[in-house]
Amino acid sequence: MKFIIKLVLLVLLLNIITFKANAKATLSYDDIVGSDVVTGIIAKDTANFQMGS
């Protein structure tokens, strides 16, 4: 009886882990980071950059 209970718990645990892994795999970049504007400081000369780069 103890073996069956342990086996059922193990199967449930593996299903939970698999479900969480599948849920994470469906997230997009925007879901994780968001669509907010990112600002920063450029430390190199920008004379050779094209518009939008």
Side-chain angles (χ1 to χ4, degrees):
M1 186 69 172
K2 287 183 181 182
F3 175 76
I4 293 174
I5 293 172
K6 288 180 181 180
L7 184 62
V8 169
L9 290 175
L10 178 63
V11 169
L12 287 174
L13 179 63
L14 289 174
N15 283 332
I16 291 170
I17 291 170
T18 303
F19 177 76
K20 287 184 178 183
N22 288 338
K24 289 181 182 178
T26 59
L27 293 175
S28 70
Y29 180 80
D30 287 336
D31 292 334
I32 298 169
V33 177
S35 59
D36 295 334
V37 175
V38 177
T39 58
I41 298 171
I42 298 176
K44 295 191 177 205
D45 182 20
T46 60
N48 295 325
F49 284 130
Q50 299 295 323
M51 178 67 84
S53 59

